[in-house]
Amino acid sequence: MNNKYKVLVVEDEVNIMNLVSALLETNGYQVISAKTCASAKALYASYIPDIIILDLGLPDDDGMNLLKDIRQNSLTPVIVLSARSSEKDKVDALDQGANDYVTKPFGSTELLARVRSVLRNNRHSAQEGRLPGGKFVLNDLLIDYDARRVFIKDCEIKLTQTEYNIVALLSEYSGKMLTYAAIIKEIWGASDDGSIKKLQVNMANIRKKLGAKPGENNYIINELGVGYRMND
Ligand code: CA
């Protein structure tokens, strides 16, 4: 029996494909490789991979279309690996259901860390979900979902209802970058012109209350123009 994680790598540049494949294989993953969207679809259907690493610039179609196709009937995690580095590209991919976005050129350790993180979160959400009485722990941070209370080093952090909702949301998806639009939709439902400002104000208060310091490895990371991620 083979119990390795199966990774479908969709990439048309041979050098990058070889690099990513070697990296994954030496770290214990099984790699299935596709150079086009069409072959990726066929291999996806026959292998049902655990995770997909997806380039966007592919010869037969845009990888974004493959992402949309996959998301129509599957939650298989997808990490986009692309040279497109604009905020808009990242936001579009994340809003279409990509679990993470890595820009080329990329670091090997970073890519491996993102793969592990996405697989871990996916396992967590599939098996546990949002359990009543569940707790989230990250270093000194503890979230008690049942009591809707947040602690750092056993000291309670007083959050407003909205601030708590944002922290709880980010923690549920820890490791995953959530776009501004995704957070606004979850927290306030409809968005308006002031939504992003409102989110930023809440987030600034949350970060201050959690003791965030510039330049340090804080609980919540802000990727400017894209969204927020809670470390995991
Ligand atoms: Ca390409």
Side-chain angles (χ1 to χ4, degrees), residues 8-43:
L8 173 60
V9 182
V10 190
E11 173 62 71
D12 61 321
E13 287 164 65
V14 178
N15 289 340
I16 296 178
M17 172 61 86
N18 290 343
L19 183 73
V20 174
S21 299
L23 178 69
L24 291 168
E25 279 166 356
T26 54
N27 283 278
Y29 296 92
Q30 181 191 341
V31 174
I32 303 147
S33 54
K35 290 194 175 79
T36 61
C37 285
S39 77
K41 273 186 213 175
L43 290 168

Side-chain angles (χ1 to χ4, degrees), residues 45-59:
S46 44
Y47 287 92
I48 313 292
D50 297 295
I51 182 169
I52 300 168
I53 295 179
L54 177 65
D55 181 26
L56 295 180
L58 293 162

Side-chain angles (χ1 to χ4, degrees), residues 16 30 36-37 57 65 89 91-93 95 111 157 179 200 227:
I16 296 178
Q30 181 191 341
T36 61
C37 285
N65 290 329
D89 289 316
V91 169
D92 285 350
D95 279 343
L111 182 63
I157 307 296
T179 63
Q200 285 170 336

